[in-house]
Amino acid sequence: MGPSETRDELQGLLVVMASLSHGLEQVLGRGAETVTFRAGKTVGLKSGVTQQESDILIALGKVGEALKAHGIEWPFEAWKPASEKSFIYDKDGKQAVKLVFRNCMVRCALFRYGHEQKQSLCMMNHGLFCGYVQKITGKRAELDILHAGENACLKELLLQG
């Protein structure tokens, strides 16, 4: 099977997942986001990652490497307005950094299925990401969507602990 066939198969599976998450949202309402976030986070926390890193930017590089090592292509990068000096800032006593996620298979699947972003399937991805971040940094992680768009999403990662 070639790369385009594998990608088409994965895209089809993700559309099925979008359909399932849509059904879950209809049955559970807002509770669906909590369920899928927790499921994703559990997977991230149970990963075999043993690397520890306290510097957020270096840790994010390690998160990207760990995701890729487990077959998850979800490229992201730290972002800041040109007027800011640092990517890392304090928000309500937590360390924070803004992240841009450009090529997201979940976003593509949601568009293909015709379902909106910022719901349970996105939350599953967020949980997975936060689980990896927590495993590598040792700090509790939250990921909030600041902007969800067609070409990229801007998110804010908050670390506590």
Side-chain angles (χ1 to χ4, degrees), residues 7-67:
R7 185 173 176 84
D8 288 345
E9 190 175 294
L10 178 60
Q11 188 69 42
L13 179 61
L14 283 168
V15 169
V16 169
M17 287 184 64
S19 174
L20 291 172
S21 68
H22 184 211
L24 183 66
E25 290 161 9
Q26 290 179 330
V27 171
L28 295 179
R30 293 188 52 84
E33 293 177 13
T34 303
V35 169
T36 56
F37 179 87
R38 186 71 180 154
K41 188 170 183 179
T42 299
V43 171
L45 288 171
K46 287 185 175 183
S47 71
V49 175
T50 58
Q51 309 168 28
Q52 290 288 301
E53 180 58 56
S54 58
D55 181 285
I56 295 174
L57 297 177
I58 294 172
L60 288 171
K62 291 181 184 284
V63 168
E65 292 168 10
L67 288 168

Side-chain angles (χ1 to χ4, degrees), residues 44 58 69 74 80 84-85 89 91 102 111 151 158 160:
I58 294 172
W74 197 26
K80 67 177 182 60
E84 297 294 321
K85 292 182 181 180
Y89 55 96
K91 182 174 182 180
R102 297 191 193 282
F111 282 140
N151 298 318
L158 301 167
Q160 180 178 350

Side-chain angles (χ1 to χ4, degrees), residues 69-90:
H70 289 98
I72 301 168
E73 290 285 335
W74 197 26
F76 62 91
E77 61 196 53
W79 179 86
K80 67 177 182 60
S83 61
E84 297 294 321
K85 292 182 181 180
S86 176
F87 288 103
I88 302 164
Y89 55 96
D90 183 77

Side-chain angles (χ1 to χ4, degrees), residues 16 23 25 34 62-63 71 77-78 88 101 115 120 123 129-130 142 147 150-151 157:
V16 169
E25 290 161 9
T34 303
K62 291 181 184 284
V63 168
E77 61 196 53
I88 302 164
F101 291 80
H115 192 51
S120 63
M123 292 303 111
F129 188 84
C130 288
E142 300 171 40
H147 171 79
E150 290 182 32
N151 298 318
L157 176 66

